[in-house]
Amino acid sequence: FLFCNNSTAQEDTLAVTAQEATPVEQTKEAATEDEKPKVTTAEDYRVSLDFVVTKQEDNSRLLVATYEGKNKKDRKDIMPVYNAEIKFYNVSGDNEVLLGTAKTSKSGLAKLIVPADRKYLTDSEGNIVLVARFEGTDGLDAEEAEVTFKDLFLELSLAVVDSVKMVTAKGYTVDSTGTKTPVEEVDIAFYIGSMLANMKVEEGALTAGEYEFELTEMVPGDPEGNVDVYVMVEDNEVYGNVKQKKTMKWGTKLLEDP
């Protein structure tokens, strides 16, 4: 492992080379000519692995591991770990199934998409347990992070009823026999997609597996007037992160440049 200065990412990076390497000192540019330069090594950083799983609108799952080092004395000094191989597993008891591997980018992110038709191992309570794991080298210790959740299905429908734009979301679980069970008191939020950032337009909780509201806001659409509407369950203790999307011609048309 070594510290390298990545000008394109505009941030320092803790890099994993193809061959094993020892930490190399990095000299940071001094604020003034009179100030002595700061020297940091790998020992100055506490490395951690974070893991987030999101069920996407096509029911595939996006697995994202963030591997980075934080300066023990300056928390604002963060160095992503670059080119580290992260392995993603589905775990149940002593059983482990490798879902795939990915190497961290210059931002310290390793991403894997698991197809919607993937069959997961579950524990005795019906939970899916996924693990992101870095096996370690001579330069860095092994790290792993775990995410546990129940499989939640979201449905989103958009309809115009008596000239009123109605948005309806439904949430449920499915058991081994295919029986759907509506969920209760699960917080959800609705967003309108945009080029810069999604705009929240409503939030509430599923009751008897359903939530409905009237969309009254005037929202910009694409040149055809199309608008992307999202419903999301975010950081739920039981179900994790789940989202669903529908597109409808509900937006004000944007004029294209001549």
Side-chain angles (χ1 to χ4, degrees):
F1 295 85
L2 53 85
F3 289 119
C4 66
N5 194 344
N6 173 23
S7 58
T8 58
Q10 295 183 346
E11 60 186 356
D12 295 326
T13 307
L14 182 62
V16 182
T17 61
Q19 298 178 342
E20 288 299 327
T22 58
V24 177
E25 291 185 349
Q26 171 183 282
T27 302
K28 294 190 174 182
E29 185 177 337
T32 66
E33 293 182 358
D34 296 331
E35 183 181 359
K36 291 183 178 180
K38 298 178 181 179
V39 177
T40 56
T41 66
E43 287 75 17
D44 295 313
Y45 292 83
R46 182 175 292 106
V47 180
S48 63
L49 181 66
D50 294 323
F51 186 28
V52 176
V53 177
T54 301
K55 188 175 185 180
Q56 304 186 107
E57 51 264 28
D58 62 356
N59 288 327
S60 66
R61 283 189 169 84
L62 174 62
L63 281 53
V64 181
T66 303
Y67 197 24
E68 59 188 14
K70 296 182 180 179
N71 194 304
K72 297 174 183 178
K73 295 182 179 180
D74 181 5
R75 292 187 177 182
K76 295 181 180 180
D77 182 10
I78 299 175
M79 285 201 180
V81 181
Y82 169 56
N83 205 36
E85 184 177 73
I86 307 297
K87 295 183 178 180
F88 297 94
Y89 293 90
N90 176 202
V91 177
S92 178
D94 295 330
N95 298 318
E96 289 188 347
V97 175
L98 179 65
L99 301 175
T101 63
K103 288 191 174 182
T104 54
S105 67
K106 292 180 180 179
S107 298
L109 302 178
K111 299 180 180 181
L112 180 73
I113 295 178
V114 182
D117 59 359
R118 177 77 199 194
K119 302 299 182 184
Y120 294 93
L121 301 174
T122 58
D123 63 17
S124 60
E125 298 180 352
N127 295 306
I128 297 172
V129 181
L130 302 184
V131 171
R133 182 179 298 155
F134 173 67
E135 295 185 343
T137 67
D138 292 340
L140 287 175
D141 294 333
E143 300 278 351
E144 77 172 40
E146 179 179 295
V147 174
T148 301
F149 56 89
K150 292 184 183 297
D151 196 8
L152 174 68
F153 292 84
L154 282 181
E155 293 182 359
L156 178 64
S157 61
L158 310 177
V160 178
V161 180
D162 296 330
S163 300
V164 177
K165 299 172 183 175
M166 300 302 301
V167 180
T168 305
K170 295 182 179 181
Y172 55 88
T173 58
V174 180
D175 65 17
S176 58
T177 66
T179 302
K180 298 180 180 180
T181 302
V183 296
E184 290 284 353
E185 299 303 319
V186 175
D187 291 335
I188 57 174
F190 296 85
Y191 296 86
I192 298 297
S194 70
M195 295 180 63
L196 298 178
N198 292 340
M199 177 179 66
K200 183 183 289 188
V201 293
E202 180 77 1
E203 57 186 351
L206 294 167
T207 302
E210 188 169 332
Y211 186 89
E212 185 177 67
F213 74 98
E214 175 185 341
L215 181 64
T216 58
E217 287 84 353
M218 294 293 293
V219 294
D222 65 12
E224 302 300 322
N226 294 308
V227 172
D228 292 332
V229 181
Y230 295 86
V231 59
M232 298 186 184
V233 173
E234 301 171 288
D235 298 325
N236 185 274
E237 292 184 358
V238 178
Y239 302 108
N241 300 286
V242 185
K243 68 179 181 179
Q244 191 52 260
K245 181 185 80 169
K246 292 289 185 180
T247 302
M248 187 70 84
K249 290 183 179 293
W250 280 0
T252 56
K253 293 184 179 181
L254 295 179
L255 297 179
E256 294 182 309
D257 294 333

